[in-house]
Amino acid sequence: QVKLVESGGGSVQAGGSLRLSCEVSTYYYSDYCMGWFRQAPGKEREGVVFIDRDGSTNYSDSVKGRFTISREERKNTLYLQMNSLKPEDTAIYYCAADPPPCTLVGAGLGDFGYWGQGTQVTVSS
């Protein structure tokens, strides 16, 4: 079984930065596709960015150029560096894992079978 635990959420002013972390408890972490999702009040959960085992990424247009995903294999940890934060980035952020074989092509909610509990990010004006 795969366990994911997010951390790093909090409150920040517009224009500020946060770094989210997700620790993943699986021996085969390096082979997984990973993703960050977010859900704002009254809205459906949406994909933010995905990364595969080779480091290829797919970013949502809304965060492209501001957010950066990375993975630390030795620590089984996924990161999301969020810069130039905007109030519309306010949401609960979730990390998710898709066991191999996996692909980023057309990846979405249904492709990720393992989820963290989420961490709240609040961006104030």
Side-chain angles (χ1 to χ4, degrees), residues 5-12 17-23 36 77-82 85 91-93 95 118-123:
V5 181
E6 301 100 332
S7 62
S11 298
V12 65
S17 299
L18 286 173
R19 189 181 75 163
L20 306 183
S21 299
C22 175
E23 295 188 9
W36 286 99
T77 303
L78 182 75
Y79 300 98
L80 182 66
Q81 179 66 47
M82 304 184 294
L85 283 163
I92 301 174
Y93 283 72
C95 65
T119 184
Q120 178 69 48
V121 171
T122 302
V123 184

Side-chain angles (χ1 to χ4, degrees), residues 68-81:
T68 303
I69 191 172
S70 61
R71 55 195 303 166
E72 174 57 60
E73 306 303 338
R74 277 68 57 190
K75 296 182 179 180
N76 277 22
T77 303
L78 182 75
Y79 300 98
L80 182 66
Q81 179 66 47

Side-chain angles (χ1 to χ4, degrees), residues 102-114:
C102 60
T103 178
L104 299 186
V105 179
L109 283 167
D111 299 303
F112 292 83
Y114 301 97

Side-chain angles (χ1 to χ4, degrees), residues 2 26-34 52-53 71 97-103 111 113-114:
V2 180
T26 174
Y27 183 81
Y28 301 102
Y29 169 74
S30 62
D31 295 325
Y32 281 56
C33 293
M34 301 295 299
D52 70 8
R53 60 177 295 175
R71 55 195 303 166
D98 183 11
C102 60
T103 178
D111 299 303
Y114 301 97

